[in-house]
Amino acid sequence: MSERIEELEQRTRFEPTEVEPRIVEQWLQSGLFHPEPDGEASENYSIAIPPPNVTGSLHMGHALNGSIQDALIRYHRMNSPPPRRTKWILGTDHAGIATQAQVEKALRTEGTSRQEIGREAFVERVWEWREHYGHTIVEQFKRLGASCDYSEERFTLDDSYARAVVEVFVRLHEKGWIYRDRYIVNWDPGSRSAISDLEVEERRETDTLYSIRYDVEGGGSVTIATVRPETMLGDTAVAVHPQDERYRDLVGRTAILPLVGRHLPIIADEYVKMDFGTGQLKITPAHDPNDFEIGARHDLDQVSVIGEDGRMTAEAGERFAGLTVMEAREAVVAALEEEGRVVAREEYEHEVPYSHRSGQRIEPLISLQWFMSMDELAPPAIEAVRDGRVKIVPDNHRRVYLDWMENIRPWCISRQLWWGHRLPVYYCDTCGHVNVARTPPEGCAECGGHVSQEEDVLDTWFSSALWPFATLGWPDDTPELKAFYPTNVLSTARDILFLWVARMIMMGLELTGEVPFSDVYIHSVIQAPDGRRMSKSLGTGIDPLDEIAKHGADAVRFGLLAMSSSQDVRYSAEKVQQGQALANKLFNAARFALTRIHASLGERAESIEPAAMPRTVEDRWILSRLSQILADTGARIESYDFSHAALGLYDFVYGELCDWYIELVKHRLPDLSGGLEGAEEEERVALAATLLYVLRETVAMAHPVIPFVTEELWRYLDGGDELLAGAPYPRAQEDLIDLEGEVVLERTIEAVTVIRGWRDSVGARAGLFISARLNADCYAATSGLLARMARLDLSDDGQADGAVVASIPVPCGTVEILSGEGLDLGAAERRRTAAREKLQAEIERVQAKLEKPGFVERAPATVVEGERERLRQLGAELEAL
RNA sequence: GGACGCGUAGCUCAGUGGGAGAGCGCUCGCUUCACACGCGAGAGGUCGGUGGUUCGAGUCCACCCGCGCCCACCA
């Protein structure tokens, strides 16, 4: 036996920690993950990874999406013709707010702050941070076995990427779609920046709803309700509904704002609900998005009483200026109480906006920001999804996408941060002209005066929106772009469908004229085992790297794919264990086959080529099953049905290959002992070739799901130097499908199961005191397999000795169990009775069905005949007992 | 207020209008010469509820109950 096989024989289990680092190294050395940029995108396959935050580390979502994308990439790489140009575009996102927050936190522990060290030093610090922590997650992707193109790692702040960002900004500004405006925005006091609508999260909270009486000039009063009394300081009107009979007389008159004394026009606007509260509404254009709109319609003043620091401004008046919003609320209520203006207060449950980034409560306020209009960008992106150029899987998300896109609003793209792409906007210090330019201008285009660049940076999602093409060298017409753009699929979780996916589609169409990907696959969100959100702060997080260390990357990948579905799922440790078991099982099956073949054929074993050479019914069966699972697995991966792809592999390896096929053929490969006859040797060689063939195809088939164990086994099964990652994906062989062979084997399996059950129930020891007799058909059909599998002294009709203890009907005929010494016949009788009762009940059920009025007339003939046949069979079985 | 989705074995979940499934857990038995990350056997389900369509419903329809999630400008 060769050294290689001897060494393999010693390894009784698959040890991921030993194997994985070695295999990763081989893959990286091979260059297989880096395709040369040749050909057209239509003939190549590519995926752009959703770029993880540069300072992030691998969490369960990355691990799942990594497993999904890698399964797709590996499958398509194996399926593409050499040189297998399949590219998984890799890179990280600078993640403005998140990264800045981390570095700020670090600065705080050093007792300083970004304000203290200044912008330049701060940005310097962030780059250092990035150098230090920015590659962690990429290394972690390697541990998962992700076959990204590591040789070309992108970063959304790289110079070339920044060029793309500036180009886009300038182009869209020239078109008039990017503009500057004073508008009410979601102000996040936590990050001291505006954030987009999508970064706001509504939380249900209970507050006090105050009813406050404002006097009306010339007599009378209005009563308004608010949960935010502090904002009354910024009221500039009171509104009622134009059709509201009760208040018709009030419209046009003037209310007096308590505490402040400001004169508030009483206006009519259809926004006001007549049936809610008093039907009288205070209008605060500077601190409420609705009021802002109403204010615009009626040309009302905007009085900003809350500042960007979350404190009351001077405009709030001396008594309140400088107070926090909450302090101001108390103070305002107290002051109003004093004047006797609070007429009611009640508990009130409502939605309160919070920043998704900082967790702080959003302060809507008016601010000068940059916006991107969606009016021209959205329609083509809607059309692309409507007409199927972009397919969203599963398709129930299609509607969600379309609904959102059809009601899309301008996007606030400026952020008051330091970490990110600074807007390519240069304000003239002299004339105030706004210069927008690809390169910093020498001076103002209007007056030649000195210019200063905009302080704000762009929303991170602005640069992310360009990801599929900016990573490939756009705006230049590079070979990479030609070879890999558009990409094939974008795989992500639901939560960034609008934030990112929709924007990529819009930007892709506008800037490249093509959809950035043809499929969007929306995968599950993995929750903690108890159903809560998986999060570090809740303590519900499970670290995928811990799981990889414990169970191996194959196990984690298998588990994640197996548990994923079209909806959110709870993390299942069992599925990971199942994956670990599968990797080990496959390893041992291959190990056994290889060592047994060598033991059985000696030198000859070295020269056996894997090939389908069926000699027996079980050979025909496994080849047939193999061909079908090959077709199924490919189809499942292509249709993003990863769960069934993974579980189907498990079922095949366990339920068919190992439990039955290998068990069935063991005896045909006895240890090399005594002389080998020529014919006998040829039979063994044929079996060895078939067994190796089945294993090789199985291993290759499973590679996209469990790449490590399969790559490890490949060198034993293929014989060449080629890595499995670069080998062709096995194809289903139509001519090996053999339904007749399958039927015979399934019958055999049923018979064996029955006999084993008997032996188990009577407590007989293996092979002792029990034998069985088959009728002739049954015996012939199974070619004696039954005997070996059931470890019985088995004979065909009338040949075995002993009294008949039981006749067991199996699909191919009847098995008679013959007694021997030591049988517990009482147990046998009990079992027989139970079986009889079960059969009787089943017969009655089927009879009732057949006798039911209308069944015979209306049900399809095949169904009726099937039921009758079943009844006959059940009757025969009962008879036999 | 709208949209989408989910209630199937103790747990996590598959399930195509015609005989209720898997993994794990549980019980019993196996140191059977690949694998105890293993092998064999078994227990355990009024398929959330009520109606309807159908010869036939876990599957289709309606309503109800419970749960999740997304969108949304009612103070």
Coordinates of all heavy atoms in Angstrom, one line a residue, chain B residues 30-52:
Chain B
rC30 P -26.8 -4.2 24.4 OP1 -26.4 -5.3 25.2 OP2 -26.4 -2.8 24.8 O5' -26.2 -4.4 22.9 C5' -24.9 -4.0 22.6 C4' -24.7 -4.0 21.2 O4' -25.6 -3.1 20.5 C3' -23.3 -3.5 20.8 O3' -22.4 -4.6 20.7 C2' -23.5 -2.9 19.4 O2' -23.6 -3.9 18.4 C1' -24.9 -2.3 19.6 N1 -24.9 -0.9 20.1 C2 -24.3 0.1 19.3 O2 -23.8 -0.2 18.2 N3 -24.2 1.4 19.7 C4 -24.7 1.7 20.9 N4 -24.7 2.9 21.3 C5 -25.3 0.7 21.8 C6 -25.4 -0.6 21.3
rU31 P -21.4 -4.8 22.0 OP1 -21.0 -6.2 22.1 OP2 -21.9 -4.1 23.2 O5' -20.2 -4.0 21.4 C5' -20.0 -2.6 21.6 C4' -18.7 -2.1 20.8 O4' -18.0 -1.2 21.7 C3' -17.8 -3.3 20.5 O3' -18.1 -4.0 19.3 C2' -16.4 -2.5 20.5 O2' -16.2 -1.8 19.3 C1' -16.6 -1.5 21.6 N1 -16.2 -2.0 22.9 C2 -14.8 -2.1 23.1 O2 -14.0 -1.8 22.3 N3 -14.5 -2.6 24.4 C4 -15.4 -3.1 25.3 O4 -15.0 -3.5 26.4 C5 -16.8 -2.9 25.0 C6 -17.1 -2.4 23.8
rU32 P -17.8 -3.4 17.8 OP1 -16.5 -2.8 18.0 OP2 -18.8 -2.6 17.2 O5' -17.5 -4.8 17.0 C5' -18.4 -5.8 16.8 C4' -18.6 -6.0 15.4 O4' -20.1 -6.0 15.2 C3' -18.1 -4.8 14.5 O3' -16.8 -5.0 14.1 C2' -19.1 -4.8 13.3 O2' -18.6 -5.8 12.3 C1' -20.4 -5.4 13.9 N1 -21.5 -4.4 14.2 C2 -21.3 -3.1 14.0 O2 -20.3 -2.5 13.7 N3 -22.4 -2.3 14.3 C4 -23.6 -2.7 14.7 O4 -24.5 -1.9 15.0 C5 -23.7 -4.2 14.9 C6 -22.7 -4.9 14.6
rC33 P -15.6 -4.0 14.4 OP1 -14.4 -4.7 14.8 OP2 -16.2 -3.0 15.3 O5' -15.3 -3.2 13.0 C5' -14.1 -2.4 13.0 C4' -13.2 -2.9 11.9 O4' -12.8 -4.3 12.3 C3' -13.7 -3.0 10.5 O3' -13.6 -1.8 9.8 C2' -12.8 -4.1 9.9 O2' -11.5 -3.6 9.6 C1' -12.7 -5.1 11.1 N1 -13.7 -6.1 11.0 C2 -13.6 -7.2 10.2 O2 -12.5 -7.2 9.5 N3 -14.5 -8.1 10.1 C4 -15.6 -8.0 10.8 N4 -16.5 -9.0 10.7 C5 -15.8 -6.9 11.7 C6 -14.8 -6.0 11.8
rA34 P -14.5 -1.5 8.6 OP1 -15.9 -1.8 8.9 OP2 -13.9 -2.2 7.5 O5' -14.3 0.1 8.4 C5' -13.0 0.6 8.4 C4' -13.1 2.1 8.4 O4' -13.8 2.5 7.2 C3' -13.9 2.7 9.5 O3' -13.1 2.9 10.7 C2' -14.4 4.0 8.9 O2' -13.3 5.0 8.9 C1' -14.6 3.6 7.5 N9 -16.0 3.2 7.2 C8 -16.6 2.0 7.5 N7 -17.9 1.9 7.1 C5 -18.1 3.2 6.6 C6 -19.3 3.8 6.1 N6 -20.4 3.1 5.9 N1 -19.2 5.1 5.7 C2 -18.1 5.7 5.9 N3 -16.9 5.3 6.3 C4 -17.0 4.0 6.7
rC35 P -13.6 2.8 12.1 OP1 -12.5 2.9 13.1 OP2 -14.6 1.7 12.2 O5' -14.4 4.2 12.3 C5' -13.7 5.4 12.3 C4' -14.7 6.5 12.0 O4' -15.4 6.3 10.8 C3' -15.9 6.6 13.0 O3' -15.5 7.4 14.2 C2' -17.0 7.3 12.3 O2' -16.8 8.7 12.3 C1' -16.8 6.8 10.8 N1 -17.7 5.8 10.5 C2 -18.8 6.1 9.7 O2 -19.0 7.3 9.5 N3 -19.7 5.2 9.4 C4 -19.5 3.9 9.7 N4 -20.4 3.0 9.3 C5 -18.4 3.5 10.4 C6 -17.5 4.4 10.8
rA36 P -15.4 6.7 15.6 OP1 -14.2 7.3 16.2 OP2 -15.5 5.3 15.4 O5' -16.6 7.2 16.5 C5' -17.6 8.2 16.1 C4' -18.5 8.3 17.2 O4' -19.3 7.1 17.3 C3' -17.9 8.6 18.6 O3' -18.6 9.7 19.2 C2' -18.1 7.3 19.4 O2' -18.4 7.6 20.7 C1' -19.3 6.7 18.7 N9 -19.5 5.3 18.8 C8 -18.9 4.3 18.0 N7 -19.3 3.1 18.3 C5 -20.1 3.3 19.4 C6 -20.8 2.4 20.3 N6 -20.7 1.0 20.1 N1 -21.5 2.9 21.3 C2 -21.5 4.2 21.4 N3 -20.9 5.1 20.7 C4 -20.2 4.6 19.7
rC37 P -18.1 11.2 18.9 OP1 -16.7 11.2 18.6 OP2 -18.6 12.0 20.0 O5' -18.9 11.6 17.6 C5' -20.1 12.4 17.6 C4' -20.5 12.7 16.2 O4' -19.7 13.9 15.8 C3' -20.1 11.6 15.3 O3' -21.2 10.8 14.7 C2' -18.9 12.1 14.4 O2' -19.1 11.8 13.0 C1' -18.9 13.6 14.7 N1 -17.5 14.1 14.9 C2 -17.0 15.0 14.0 O2 -17.6 15.3 13.0 N3 -15.7 15.5 14.2 C4 -15.0 15.1 15.2 N4 -13.8 15.6 15.4 C5 -15.5 14.2 16.2 C6 -16.8 13.7 16.0
rG38 P -22.4 11.0 14.0 OP1 -22.2 12.1 13.0 OP2 -23.5 11.0 14.9 O5' -22.3 9.6 13.2 C5' -21.2 9.2 12.5 C4' -20.9 7.7 12.7 O4' -20.4 7.5 14.1 C3' -22.2 6.9 12.7 O3' -22.6 6.7 11.4 C2' -21.6 5.6 13.3 O2' -20.8 4.9 12.4 C1' -20.8 6.2 14.4 N9 -21.5 6.2 15.7 C8 -21.9 7.3 16.4 N7 -22.6 7.0 17.5 C5 -22.7 5.6 17.5 C6 -23.3 4.7 18.4 O6 -23.9 4.9 19.4 N1 -23.1 3.4 18.0 C2 -22.5 3.0 16.8 N2 -22.4 1.7 16.6 N3 -21.9 3.8 16.0 C4 -22.0 5.1 16.4
rC39 P -24.1 6.6 11.1 OP1 -24.3 6.7 9.6 OP2 -24.9 7.5 11.9 O5' -24.4 5.1 11.5 C5' -23.8 4.0 10.8 C4' -24.3 2.7 11.4 O4' -23.7 2.6 12.8 C3' -25.8 2.6 11.6 O3' -26.5 2.3 10.5 C2' -25.8 1.4 12.7 O2' -25.4 0.2 12.0 C1' -24.6 1.9 13.6 N1 -25.1 2.7 14.7 C2 -25.7 2.0 15.8 O2 -25.8 0.8 15.7 N3 -26.2 2.7 16.8 C4 -26.1 4.0 16.8 N4 -26.5 4.7 17.9 C5 -25.5 4.8 15.7 C6 -25.0 4.0 14.7
rG40 P -27.9 2.8 10.3 OP1 -28.3 2.6 8.9 OP2 -28.1 4.2 10.9 O5' -28.8 1.8 11.2 C5' -28.8 0.5 10.8 C4' -29.5 -0.3 11.9 O4' -28.8 -0.2 13.1 C3' -30.9 0.2 12.3 O3' -31.9 -0.2 11.3 C2' -31.1 -0.5 13.6 O2' -31.3 -1.9 13.4 C1' -29.7 -0.4 14.2 N9 -29.6 0.8 15.0 C8 -29.0 2.1 14.7 N7 -29.2 2.9 15.6 C5 -29.9 2.3 16.6 C6 -30.4 2.7 17.9 O6 -30.2 3.8 18.4 N1 -31.1 1.7 18.6 C2 -31.3 0.5 18.1 N2 -32.0 -0.4 18.9 N3 -30.9 0.0 16.9 C4 -30.2 1.0 16.3
rA41 P -33.2 0.8 11.2 OP1 -34.0 0.2 10.1 OP2 -32.8 2.2 11.3 O5' -34.0 0.4 12.6 C5' -34.6 -0.9 12.7 C4' -35.1 -1.0 14.1 O4' -34.1 -0.7 15.1 C3' -36.3 -0.1 14.5 O3' -37.5 -0.6 14.1 C2' -36.2 -0.1 16.0 O2' -36.7 -1.3 16.6 C1' -34.6 -0.1 16.2 N9 -34.1 1.3 16.4 C8 -33.4 2.1 15.5 N7 -33.1 3.2 15.9 C5 -33.6 3.3 17.2 C6 -33.7 4.3 18.2 N6 -33.1 5.5 18.1 N1 -34.3 4.0 19.4 C2 -34.9 2.8 19.5 N3 -34.9 1.8 18.6 C4 -34.3 2.1 17.5
rG42 P -38.7 0.4 13.7 OP1 -39.8 -0.4 13.3 OP2 -38.1 1.4 12.7 O5' -39.0 1.2 15.1 C5' -39.7 0.5 16.0 C4' -39.7 1.3 17.3 O4' -38.4 1.8 17.6 C3' -40.6 2.6 17.4 O3' -41.9 2.3 17.5 C2' -40.0 3.2 18.6 O2' -40.5 2.6 19.8 C1' -38.5 2.9 18.5 N9 -37.7 4.0 18.0 C8 -37.1 4.1 16.8 N7 -36.5 5.3 16.6 C5 -36.7 5.9 17.9 C6 -36.2 7.2 18.3 O6 -35.5 8.0 17.7 N1 -36.6 7.5 19.6 C2 -37.4 6.6 20.4 N2 -37.7 7.1 21.6 N3 -37.8 5.4 20.0 C4 -37.4 5.2 18.7
rA43 P -43.1 3.3 17.1 OP1 -44.3 2.6 16.9 OP2 -42.5 4.1 16.0 O5' -43.2 4.3 18.4 C5' -43.6 3.7 19.6 C4' -43.4 4.8 20.7 O4' -42.0 5.1 20.7 C3' -44.1 6.1 20.5 O3' -45.4 6.1 20.9 C2' -43.2 7.1 21.3 O2' -43.5 7.0 22.6 C1' -41.8 6.5 21.0 N9 -41.1 7.1 19.9 C8 -40.9 6.7 18.6 N7 -40.2 7.5 17.9 C5 -39.8 8.5 18.7 C6 -39.0 9.6 18.6 N6 -38.4 9.9 17.4 N1 -38.9 10.4 19.6 C2 -39.4 10.1 20.8 N3 -40.2 9.1 21.1 C4 -40.3 8.3 20.0
rG44 P -46.5 6.8 20.1 OP1 -47.8 6.6 20.8 OP2 -46.4 6.4 18.7 O5' -46.1 8.3 20.2 C5' -46.1 9.0 21.4 C4' -45.4 10.3 21.3 O4' -44.1 10.1 20.8 C3' -46.0 11.3 20.3 O3' -47.0 12.1 20.9 C2' -44.8 12.1 19.8 O2' -44.6 13.2 20.7 C1' -43.7 11.1 19.9 N9 -43.3 10.5 18.6 C8 -43.9 9.4 18.0 N7 -43.4 9.1 16.9 C5 -42.4 10.1 16.7 C6 -41.5 10.3 15.6 O6 -41.3 9.7 14.6 N1 -40.7 11.4 15.9 C2 -40.7 12.2 17.0 N2 -39.9 13.3 17.0 N3 -41.6 12.1 18.0 C4 -42.3 11.0 17.8
rG45 P -48.5 12.0 20.4 OP1 -49.4 12.1 21.6 OP2 -48.7 10.8 19.5 O5' -48.7 13.3 19.6 C5' -48.4 13.4 18.2 C4' -48.6 14.7 17.7 O4' -47.7 14.9 16.7 C3' -50.0 14.9 17.1 O3' -50.8 15.9 17.8 C2' -49.8 15.2 15.6 O2' -50.3 16.6 15.4 C1' -48.3 15.2 15.4 N9 -47.9 14.2 14.4 C8 -48.3 13.0 14.2 N7 -47.7 12.4 13.2 C5 -46.8 13.3 12.8 C6 -45.8 13.3 11.8 O6 -45.5 12.4 11.0 N1 -45.0 14.5 11.8 C2 -45.2 15.6 12.6 N2 -44.5 16.6 12.4 N3 -46.2 15.6 13.5 C4 -46.9 14.5 13.6
rU46 P -52.1 15.3 18.6 OP1 -52.6 16.3 19.6 OP2 -51.7 14.0 18.9 O5' -53.1 15.2 17.4 C5' -53.6 16.4 16.8 C4' -54.8 16.2 15.9 O4' -55.9 15.9 16.8 C3' -55.1 17.4 15.1 O3' -54.4 17.3 13.9 C2' -56.6 17.3 15.0 O2' -57.0 16.3 14.0 C1' -57.0 16.7 16.4 N1 -57.1 17.8 17.4 C2 -58.2 18.6 17.4 O2 -59.2 18.4 16.6 N3 -58.3 19.5 18.3 C4 -57.3 19.8 19.3 O4 -57.4 20.7 20.1 C5 -56.1 19.0 19.2 C6 -56.1 18.0 18.3
rC47 P -54.6 18.4 12.7 OP1 -55.5 19.5 13.2 OP2 -54.9 17.7 11.5 O5' -53.1 19.0 12.6 C5' -52.7 20.0 13.4 C4' -51.5 20.7 12.7 O4' -50.8 19.7 12.0 C3' -51.8 21.8 11.8 O3' -50.9 22.8 11.9 C2' -51.7 21.1 10.4 O2' -51.2 22.1 9.4 C1' -50.6 20.1 10.7 N1 -50.6 19.0 9.7 C2 -49.6 18.9 8.8 O2 -48.7 19.8 8.7 N3 -49.6 17.9 7.9 C4 -50.5 16.9 8.0 N4 -50.5 15.9 7.2 C5 -51.6 17.0 9.0 C6 -51.5 18.0 9.8
rG48 P -51.3 24.3 11.7 OP1 -52.2 24.5 10.5 OP2 -49.9 25.0 11.7 O5' -52.1 24.9 13.0 C5' -51.7 24.6 14.3 C4' -52.5 25.3 15.3 O4' -52.1 26.7 15.2 C3' -54.0 25.4 15.0 O3' -54.6 24.2 15.5 C2' -54.4 26.6 15.7 O2' -54.5 26.4 17.1 C1' -53.2 27.6 15.4 N9 -53.4 28.3 14.2 C8 -52.7 28.2 13.0 N7 -53.1 29.0 12.1 C5 -54.2 29.6 12.6 C6 -55.1 30.6 12.1 O6 -55.0 31.1 10.9 N1 -56.1 31.0 12.9 C2 -56.2 30.5 14.2 N2 -57.2 31.0 14.9 N3 -55.4 29.6 14.7 C4 -54.4 29.2 13.9
rG49 P -55.9 23.6 14.6 OP1 -56.2 22.3 15.2 OP2 -55.6 23.7 13.2 O5' -57.0 24.6 14.9 C5' -57.5 24.8 16.3 C4' -58.6 25.8 16.3 O4' -58.1 27.1 15.9 C3' -59.7 25.6 15.4 O3' -60.7 24.6 15.8 C2' -60.3 27.0 15.2 O2' -61.1 27.3 16.3 C1' -59.1 27.8 15.2 N9 -58.5 28.1 13.9 C8 -57.5 27.5 13.3 N7 -57.3 28.0 12.1 C5 -58.3 28.9 11.9 C6 -58.6 29.7 10.7 O6 -58.0 29.8 9.7 N1 -59.7 30.5 11.0 C2 -60.4 30.5 12.1 N2 -61.5 31.3 12.2 N3 -60.2 29.7 13.2 C4 -59.1 29.0 13.0
rU50 P -61.5 23.7 14.8 OP1 -62.2 22.7 15.6 OP2 -60.6 23.3 13.7 O5' -62.6 24.7 14.2 C5' -63.4 25.5 15.1 C4' -64.2 26.5 14.3 O4' -63.3 27.5 13.8 C3' -64.8 25.9 13.0 O3' -66.0 25.2 13.3 C2' -65.1 27.2 12.2 O2' -66.2 27.9 12.6 C1' -63.8 28.0 12.5 N1 -62.7 27.8 11.5 C2 -62.7 28.6 10.4 O2 -63.6 29.4 10.2 N3 -61.7 28.4 9.5 C4 -60.7 27.5 9.6 O4 -59.9 27.4 8.8 C5 -60.8 26.7 10.8 C6 -61.7 26.8 11.7
rG51 P -66.6 24.2 12.2 OP1 -67.7 23.5 12.8 OP2 -65.5 23.5 11.5 O5' -67.2 25.3 11.2 C5' -67.6 25.0 9.9 C4' -67.7 26.2 9.1 O4' -66.6 27.1 9.3 C3' -67.7 26.0 7.6 O3' -69.0 25.5 7.1 C2' -67.3 27.3 7.0 O2' -68.3 28.3 7.0 C1' -66.2 27.7 8.1 N9 -64.9 27.2 7.8 C8 -64.2 26.2 8.4 N7 -63.1 25.9 7.9 C5 -63.0 26.7 6.8 C6 -62.0 26.9 5.8 O6 -60.9 26.3 5.7 N1 -62.3 27.9 4.8 C2 -63.5 28.6 4.8 N2 -63.7 29.4 3.8 N3 -64.4 28.4 5.7 C4 -64.1 27.5 6.7
rG52 P -69.0 24.3 6.1 OP1 -70.4 23.9 5.9 OP2 -68.0 23.3 6.6 O5' -68.5 24.9 4.8 C5' -69.1 26.0 4.2 C4' -68.3 26.6 3.1 O4' -67.0 27.0 3.7 C3' -67.9 25.7 2.0 O3' -68.9 25.6 1.0 C2' -66.7 26.5 1.4 O2' -67.1 27.6 0.6 C1' -66.0 27.0 2.7 N9 -64.9 26.1 3.1 C8 -64.8 25.3 4.1 N7 -63.7 24.6 4.2 C5 -63.0 25.1 3.1 C6 -61.7 24.7 2.7 O6 -60.9 24.0 3.2 N1 -61.3 25.4 1.5 C2 -62.1 26.3 0.9 N2 -61.7 26.9 -0.3 N3 -63.4 26.6 1.3 C4 -63.7 26.0 2.4

